[in-house]
Amino acid sequence: MDGFAKYLARRFLQFILVIFLGVSLAFLITHLSPVDPVEQSVSLMTNFGATDPRSVALLREALSELYGLQGSFFEQYLAFWGRVLHGDFGPSLSSFPTPVMSLIMGALPWTVGLLTLSVLISWCLGNLLGALAGYFRSNLLLKLSGAAVMALHPVPAYIVGLLLLLTFGFVWPVLPISGGAQMNLQPGFSLAFVGSVIVHGLLPALTLVLVGIGSWFISMRSLVSNIVTDDHVVYAELGGVSSGTIFSQYVARNALLPQLTGLALSLGNVFGGAVITEFLFNYPGVGRLLIQGIYSGDYSLVLGVTTMSIVAVAVAVFVIDLLYPLIDPRVRLG
């Protein structure tokens, strides 16, 4: 087995292990919750007059089977993994009898689109500005840009979102502050609907970009500042190699390798920020769905969203791991 095959096998085993541990932990934490979805459903239904004890007992048994809560804890755990493998998390308590998977699949494209664009934009801009600021250290414009980016870095996502919401929703009302698209438009690939989606996603995406760009800028500038003093860079400068070539081939490319690893490690944190941002702007994504499930005590919905989020982040990290050897050929030999 060559070096790349070994690298691929190790990453795939890590991918499986992350999903297994993450989903198992989500199952455990959810079962430790004081909310009992069966009793909550029974309580809601008996409020409408279904008070016959035999009917209530049959209802409780049916709901236990519906939510996968029959048997011992281990039996429930095995049944849950069977549901995960089949993509079935049962019905949603708050949107009964709509299946949880239907709700997630309806919200997932919104979150994937928002996260993909915001992560790529913040990663590219942060690394580009950081690399330029680290190499061209005397440039005044880059210093001012760096100061602005670093000032936003420690600010929480919800504060940035609130400022954007107040600025562009009330002080200068030019952008929509709620929803994913205009309500009276038919969803599809029409120009009107796509344009409405882009406009409605500007403020949530801008929030995530402004919050995320600072960490990439700081780390990239630090990496480039160290690389420019290396012997091979100094030798290239003395040899008359152009600044553009040195910057792109000798400095930026080497500094980009740790940043790619950092991108994989930060995806989980980005999803956490997206949950707050989606709720703040009433964006119809998985994050808002998760908060709604928590507020309503929807056991199945919370567990389904958490599981799908773990799988999605693990898949994204695995894809980035596969792309890593394309940038650093030494990985294939490791």
Side-chain angles (χ1 to χ4, degrees):
M1 184 181 291
D2 58 13
F4 180 70
K6 292 180 180 178
Y7 171 82
L8 181 61
R10 288 196 303 267
R11 290 297 181 267
F12 182 74
L13 290 176
Q14 291 176 3
F15 167 70
I16 297 299
L17 182 61
V18 166
I19 291 180
F20 174 76
L21 293 178
V23 173
S24 298
L25 186 61
F27 174 83
L28 177 62
I29 293 175
T30 307
H31 272 67
L32 293 176
S33 169
V35 177
D36 188 335
V38 173
E39 294 302 325
Q40 189 167 349
S41 299
V42 170
S43 176
L44 289 174
M45 294 180 182
T46 54
N47 287 335
F48 294 97
T51 56
D52 181 46
R54 289 175 298 178
S55 300
V56 173
L58 291 174
L59 177 62
R60 184 177 285 108
E61 182 180 353
L63 289 174
S64 297
E65 181 180 358
L66 197 61
Y67 288 111
L69 298 176
Q70 288 182 321
S72 64
F73 179 83
F74 184 69
E75 290 173 339
Q76 294 178 30
Y77 177 70
L78 294 179
F80 169 70
W81 269 109
R83 290 191 169 204
V84 170
L85 295 177
H86 287 88
D88 177 21
F89 296 97
S92 168
L93 175 63
S94 57
S95 302
F96 192 87
T98 306
V100 167
M101 203 60 182
S102 298
L103 296 175
I104 294 176
M105 295 309 295
L108 191 60
W110 296 95
T111 296
V112 170
L114 177 64
L115 284 183
T116 300
L117 289 177
S118 59
V119 168
L120 288 177
I121 292 173
S122 61
W123 189 78
C124 291
L125 284 179
N127 285 317
L128 178 60
L129 289 174
L132 291 172
Y135 188 72
F136 303 101
R137 285 170 284 186
S138 60
N139 189 287
L140 180 60
L141 182 60
L142 290 173
K143 288 182 178 180
L144 294 176
S145 300
V149 168
M150 292 176 65
L152 286 171
H153 175 58
V155 182
Y158 65 90
I159 297 296
V160 175
L162 282 173
L163 291 176
L164 292 177
L165 189 149
L166 292 173
T167 302
F168 295 103
F170 298 96
V171 178
W172 187 32
V174 294
L175 292 174
I177 60 174
S178 178
Q182 192 172 330
M183 294 184 63
N184 60 349
L185 292 178
Q186 181 67 29
F189 291 99
S190 63
L191 186 61
F193 181 76
V194 172
S196 180
V197 169
I198 294 174
V199 172
H200 279 74
L202 284 177
L203 289 183
L206 185 58
T207 300
L208 295 176
V209 168
L210 292 177
V211 171
I213 194 174
S215 59
W216 300 120
F217 174 88
I218 295 171
S219 57
M220 190 64 169
R221 187 182 63 176
S222 177
L223 288 168
V224 170
S225 298
N226 292 326
I227 292 176
V228 293
T229 60
D230 288 348
D231 293 340
H232 68 284
V233 177
V234 175
Y235 182 79
E237 291 175 343
L238 294 175
V241 180
S242 65
S243 298
T245 302
I246 294 175
F247 172 76
S248 60
Q249 300 298 322
Y250 291 78
V251 177
R253 184 172 181 178
N254 289 329
L256 198 61
L257 299 178
Q259 296 296 84
L260 190 61
T261 304
L263 176 61
L265 296 175
S266 67
L267 287 176
N269 294 330
V270 171
F271 179 77
V275 170
I276 299 173
T277 303
E278 287 181 1
F279 183 74
L280 180 64
F281 290 100
N282 197 31
Y283 196 75
V286 175
R288 192 189 68 169
L289 200 64
L290 176 61
I291 294 180
Q292 289 177 347
I294 294 173
Y295 281 165
S296 60
D298 195 336
Y299 166 90
S300 299
L301 182 58
V302 172
L303 192 53
V305 171
T306 305
T307 301
M308 292 299 295
S309 302
I310 292 171
V311 173
V313 172
V315 169
V317 172
F318 181 64
V319 171
I320 292 176
D321 283 338
L322 295 183
L323 295 176
Y324 200 92
L326 300 178
I327 299 177
D328 189 0
R330 294 171 298 181
V331 173
R332 306 173 192 174
L333 305 175

